[in-house]
Amino acid sequence: MPRFSAPPFFAVVSLFVLNPAVADRTYCDDDWVCVERREDAKSIEVFVENRKPYPVTVSLRARTRGVSLDGSSTVTLVIDGGHRQRAFGGTKRNDSGSLRVSFDWTVGRPDVEHDDKYRYRLPYRDGEHYYILQGFGSRFSHTGLERYTIDFAMEVGTPVHAARDGVVARLEERHDRGCWEDGCGAYANYIVILHDDGTTGEYYHLQNEGALVEEGQYVKRGQLIGLSGNTGHTTMPHLHFGVYRADTWGQTRSLRVRFRSADGKVFEPRRGGRHEAG
């Protein structure tokens, strides 16, 4: 039995050390989520800024020394595009008081309601059909948060088309490596499309320079968006596709959706199936 893909790796894990020797400091991840410390002689505050126009869900954990927090040491914030929120605040108990923050984030909101009446398009060219290596609930890796995702067997360079209208919120296309060892997920190329209902359609394992759209571009259902590949945590060429809502700690939760094939049939993808797009 061939081995396919592990769940996509989209979470960003960052550690931000708030050095007491520096009065104010800002750390930005990918020029998207920025964590800022504001400090005076008696107090410390931490703020989170979203520098992009799309909502993000950010989970943070504070570890203190000589600082009394005025709230919980663990928080999850939903921050709309271009907005800034206070995450932590505290009072120094001594001059050496310090605060260490770790955080994860992902695009989207955890409170969105998926439009269950929507019927998705298959993510490839009209008239084509591809073998489903893993469908909903496949036991190899489509479990837990990844239960409702699909792996389509595609050769490197196969055209990938949008399953639903939306705006390209994020993409990666610089990598050229696929492997199965720990950490290989960092090499995945992908496109993340934010749908009108706040969910995301995510297309993983694209080839190097395989994105044919730009961040911020609005794409229509059926539009050519990229080329499939074999990058990231994978052992064979394929396209991993899923519809997600944001979760805590940089994770996303796949959603149960339905597709419509060229003959009008509505179905849920299962391992071993082949369905013509149109």
Side-chain angles (χ1 to χ4, degrees):
M1 176 178 175
R3 301 182 75 182
F4 315 125
S5 72
F9 292 77
F10 190 64
V12 176
V13 182
S14 301
L15 179 64
F16 180 36
V17 180
L18 300 176
N19 188 337
V22 182
D24 297 316
R25 184 182 174 193
T26 300
Y27 173 83
C28 292
D29 189 89
D30 200 25
D31 198 30
W32 192 317
V33 174
C34 296
V35 177
E36 176 191 6
R37 186 270 311 276
R38 306 283 297 178
E39 178 180 357
D40 58 28
K42 296 183 179 180
S43 64
I44 294 178
E45 288 187 299
V46 177
F47 297 87
V48 184
E49 180 185 6
N50 175 8
R51 292 190 172 181
K52 299 287 186 175
Y54 318 112
V56 294
T57 299
V58 187
S59 296
L60 307 97
R61 179 177 290 112
R63 295 179 175 85
T64 64
R65 184 176 61 186
V67 174
S68 298
L69 291 177
D70 57 17
S72 174
S73 62
T74 302
V75 297
T76 294
L77 306 175
V78 178
I79 307 177
D80 289 328
H83 284 68
R84 180 173 178 264
Q85 290 189 35
R86 184 178 185 269
F88 301 112
T91 303
K92 295 180 183 179
R93 296 196 299 268
N94 52 60
D95 292 340
S96 61
S98 64
L99 186 68
R100 179 185 296 258
V101 176
S102 58
F103 68 99
D104 295 357
W105 65 276
T106 191
V107 176
R109 309 173 60 95
D111 57 352
V112 299
E113 293 187 13
H114 178 258
D115 179 3
D116 292 335
K117 295 180 180 179
Y118 190 87
R119 301 298 178 241
Y120 287 80
R121 185 193 190 282
L122 289 158
Y124 42 83
R125 188 163 47 197
D126 286 354
E128 299 287 338
H129 53 82
Y130 294 91
Y131 183 80
I132 297 176
L133 299 168
Q134 289 197 96
F136 289 1
S138 291
R139 288 178 291 177
F140 176 64
S141 64
H142 289 194
T143 59
L145 295 176
E146 295 298 317
R147 180 177 181 181
Y148 299 113
T149 57
I150 313 102
D151 286 348
F152 297 97
M154 290 184 178
E155 293 300 320
V156 173
T158 301
V160 175
H161 294 249
R164 182 176 179 177
D165 296 359
V167 62
V168 179
R170 200 168 191 198
L171 62 82
E172 175 62 70
E173 61 174 346
R174 60 181 168 163
H175 301 300
D176 59 4
R177 180 182 176 190
C179 53
W180 194 249
E181 293 77 28
D182 289 345
C184 289
Y187 303 114
N189 294 323
Y190 54 81
I191 296 172
V192 176
I193 294 178
L194 184 63
H195 302 144
D196 292 343
D197 64 1
T199 61
T200 55
E202 306 191 11
Y203 307 75
Y204 276 82
H205 309 301
L206 305 181
Q207 74 172 37
N208 178 250
E209 302 298 326
L212 304 179
V213 291
E214 302 290 337
E215 287 188 10
Q217 180 179 344
Y218 194 85
V219 299
K220 300 293 289 182
R221 173 188 174 101
Q223 182 174 335
L224 177 63
I225 60 172
L227 301 172
S228 66
N230 191 30
T231 59
H233 204 204
T234 175
T235 60
M236 64 181 297
H238 70 284
L239 173 71
H240 177 103
F241 174 76
V243 177
Y244 297 86
R245 70 161 54 98
D247 209 305
T248 58
W249 294 106
Q251 300 185 98
T252 51
R253 181 178 296 277
S254 62
L255 301 175
R256 189 170 191 163
V257 300
R258 292 188 175 185
F259 292 77
R260 189 183 302 277
S261 60
D263 61 5
K265 179 181 178 182
V266 175
F267 65 94
E268 294 182 352
R270 301 293 179 181
R271 180 179 181 272
R274 286 180 181 268
H275 303 276
E276 182 178 331

